[in-house]
Amino acid sequence: MNKKKEFKIAIAGYGHVGKDTVKTIIENNEIIENRTGIKLKIKTVFSRNIDKVKNDKYLDSIEIKTKNLNDILDDKEIDIIIEVLGGMDAAKTLIMKAKKGVVTANKALLANSFAEIVENRKTDIAFEASVAGAVPIIKALKESLVSDKIESVYGILNGTCNFILTNMTKNNLDFNVVLKNAQDKGYAEADPTFDIDGIDTAHKLCILSSIAFSNIMDMNKIFIRGIRNIELSDIIFATDSGYTIKLIAEASIDENNNVFIFVIPTMLKEENMLSKVDYAFNAITVVGDRSEENVFYGAGAGGRPTSSAIVSDAITIARNNLITDELRIPILGFAKKNNDIKIKDFKEKNETFYIRFSSSNNNFDAFNKSFIENKIIVEKSCIKDNNFMFILKDANINKIIETIEKMEKIENIFIARIKS
């Protein structure tokens, strides 16, 4: 049994998150050691651009700075590898070849390659930082709520989208104006596609739902609809109707193991706690059959919060290594898969939806009539600034789109689910 209390760390990647991880370990090492009895010592930092880093007192204190990943993989003194490379290929190579515990924040890689990465693995992978930054949602699902049958997981998982929607709502600003502001502040990438099209959110939902429902979810079966085509008129309509629009990720399972898993703009009533989660913060609600509703809230992105989760995971692996060479907890939190799961198409699920579109024929009454004829309940409808707006009950997305297209082929249709 490994009894040493100093663990040597290698950090692969020295971008924003990598730098903050190094700072957290160095600056808070005394706190960590006093609380856990474990000392983390960074031995090696890898970066493709390590030569370009100048006047960095934290990096200067590290023993080995390298541009060769094999300097990490081949070093038998390294106990734990922290992967913060970004991208997919190099990160996957590192994780697959590593013969020791790995901490990663790489949600895209995990969501797309879970089965391959986890299969037959003898060493641990910890990935708390892959979802919602410092919010300890993965540990909660794997450990704290292990005696519950999880019925649903839903929440706000993308700080960029939440920042945009909050600013549109509070300041009556158009989408493109707020997006530019988010890019200027560093909340959004120069190419914001993964964020505003809901892909980043879906990666995180894939991870959470895989743990919650004891099987690896298929990213390709997640329904994804982002906020790219939202307009200020949608925000105003929602506010006037007593709702707040958020990009919500949700996965739910019924007693027959039917799973709906989706990402979609959602109108929330004021009494829903998620409606009050603003700017770059994240929040997740987990509903269990015993614990009922549990809400997890906190900083969902940024180097410092993410580094908190990363270093916590490194401590978890270190503690486990002091106890046993085997996995203490299964990597995804379950020892046996639920192979009875059936993922259903959210486009076929009857819900209440808000839709907005413009018609070149400008025949509002004809659309109203068509919905009614197709047994779609029109709860509310109006015209504003040449936009047709409807709240439709007991309908599914396929039927709504099909009904509209019988009348007219329309490209830009904004759809939001309505949730109390």
Side-chain angles (χ1 to χ4, degrees):
M1 186 181 291
N2 185 0
K3 287 294 185 184
K4 68 178 177 179
K5 293 192 176 182
E6 180 177 278
F7 285 79
K8 292 189 177 178
I9 307 291
I11 296 180
Y14 201 63
H16 190 43
V17 174
K19 288 179 182 179
D20 273 308
T21 300
V22 169
K23 288 180 185 179
T24 297
I25 292 173
I26 292 174
E27 292 178 352
N28 288 8
N29 221 329
E30 186 176 348
I31 294 171
I32 292 167
E33 193 170 358
N34 288 342
R35 284 180 174 171
T36 67
I38 290 167
K39 182 179 179 62
L40 301 181
K41 180 177 175 58
I42 304 170
K43 181 182 180 183
T44 306
V45 171
F46 162 87
S47 172
R48 300 175 189 89
N49 301 309
I50 203 77
D51 296 338
K52 296 178 181 178
V53 182
K54 305 295 182 186
N55 302 317
D56 187 321
K57 67 178 183 179
Y58 298 96
L59 190 61
D60 290 344
S61 69
I62 307 302
E63 180 182 344
I64 298 172
K65 280 82 72 174
T66 181
K67 298 170 74 173
N68 185 350
L69 269 180
N70 289 326
D71 289 340
I72 291 176
L73 289 167
D74 297 339
D75 189 341
K76 290 182 170 53
E77 286 193 344
I78 299 295
D79 298 299
I80 300 167
I81 298 170
I82 294 174
E83 182 278 307
V84 282
L85 289 166
M88 301 270 278
D89 295 339
K92 186 174 183 179
T93 297
L94 178 66
I95 291 172
M96 296 296 288
K97 287 185 175 181
K99 299 276 194 295
K100 51 207 72 180
V102 176
V103 178
T104 181
N106 200 325
K107 64 257 184 185
L109 175 59
L110 293 171
N112 286 288
S113 304
F114 249 151
E116 187 180 356
I117 288 171
V118 172
E119 188 177 3
N120 301 319
R121 190 172 190 89
K122 305 300 182 189
T123 55
D124 208 352
I125 297 180
F127 47 92
E128 185 67 68
S130 66
V131 179
V135 181
I137 181 62
I138 288 172
K139 280 188 175 73
L141 286 171
K142 287 172 64 172
E143 300 182 49
S144 303
L145 298 172
V146 71
S147 65
D148 274 56
K149 179 182 186 292
I150 304 301
E151 297 171 352
S152 66
V153 179
Y154 66 94
I156 296 165
L157 299 178
N158 185 274
T160 300
C161 288
N162 208 42
F163 178 88
I164 290 169
L165 292 171
T166 301
N167 272 285
M168 290 180 73
T169 301
K170 291 184 179 297
N171 301 312
N172 280 342
L173 295 172
D174 288 322
F175 173 82
N176 289 328
V177 172
V178 180
L179 174 59
K180 177 65 166 57
N181 181 242
Q183 289 169 323
D184 292 343
K185 289 180 179 292
Y187 288 119
E189 301 289 339
D191 179 359
T193 299
F194 263 45
D195 291 322
I196 64 174
D197 286 343
I199 300 165
D200 173 82
T201 301
H203 288 151
K204 296 167 184 175
L205 181 62
C206 183
I207 293 167
L208 293 181
S209 56
S210 294
I211 299 168
F213 304 146
S214 299
N215 204 330
I216 295 171
M217 298 296 132
D218 185 346
M219 260 297 294
N220 296 317
K221 293 185 178 179
I222 300 176
F223 174 84
I224 308 171
R225 201 172 184 104
I227 64 167
R228 180 183 291 273
N229 65 342
I230 194 169
E231 295 180 359
L232 184 56
S233 60
D234 303 313
I235 300 288
I236 293 169
F237 181 92
T239 302
D240 290 346
S241 302
Y243 294 97
T244 302
I245 298 180
K246 300 290 185 183
L247 183 66
I248 296 294
E250 182 164 336
S252 62
I253 188 168
D254 65 17
E255 64 277 5
N256 297 314
N257 284 303
N258 296 314
V259 172
F260 286 99
I261 179 166
F262 53 91
V263 176
I264 191 169
T266 301
M267 290 186 178
L268 302 173
K269 278 288 189 185
E270 196 175 282
E271 53 267 28
N272 190 307
M273 290 180 67
L274 297 184
S275 72
K276 299 172 178 63
V277 177
D278 289 333
Y279 298 107
F281 283 88
N282 283 189
I284 307 104
T285 298
V286 180
V287 181
D289 69 334
R290 295 295 188 270
S291 61
E292 300 182 0
E293 284 199 359
N294 307 272
V295 181
F296 300 81
Y297 169 86
R304 286 168 67 88
T306 303
S307 75
S308 172
I310 287 170
V311 177
S312 172
D313 272 346
I315 291 293
T316 297
I317 291 175
R319 280 172 162 163
N320 185 55
N321 287 352
L322 287 172
I323 300 167
T324 176
D325 291 331
E326 301 296 321
L327 291 173
R328 186 175 66 87
I329 298 170
I331 291 170
L332 292 177
F334 56 86
K336 182 180 178 182
K337 282 184 180 179
N338 177 2
N339 288 316
D340 295 327
I341 279 176
K342 300 174 284 292
I343 298 178
K344 299 293 187 178
D345 187 352
F346 178 71
K347 294 197 295 282
E348 295 289 346
K349 189 173 192 291
N350 278 11
E351 295 271 356
T352 300
F353 292 99
Y354 160 80
I355 66 167
R356 184 261 307 150
F357 58 91
S358 296
S359 165
S360 58
N361 295 328
N362 205 32
N363 195 343
F364 178 72
D365 291 336
F367 280 104
N368 248 318
K369 183 179 178 183
S370 184
F371 287 132
I372 294 167
E373 287 176 347
N374 283 277
K375 296 182 170 52
I376 297 172
I377 299 169
V378 180
E379 185 177 88
K380 184 175 181 178
S381 63
C382 67
I383 306 174
K384 188 171 183 180
D385 299 328
N386 297 317
N387 283 316
F388 294 175
M389 299 169 168
F390 298 87
I391 290 180
L392 306 174
K393 291 186 68 175
D394 297 330
N396 61 63
I397 289 175
N398 275 345
K399 189 171 184 180
I400 291 169
I401 299 297
E402 181 183 319
T403 302
I404 292 171
E405 289 187 343
K406 281 180 184 176
M407 302 288 297
E408 186 180 341
K409 183 75 174 175
I410 296 171
E411 295 293 329
N412 183 24
I413 301 173
F414 179 75
I415 300 179
R417 178 185 180 226
I418 296 179
K419 184 180 178 73
S420 60

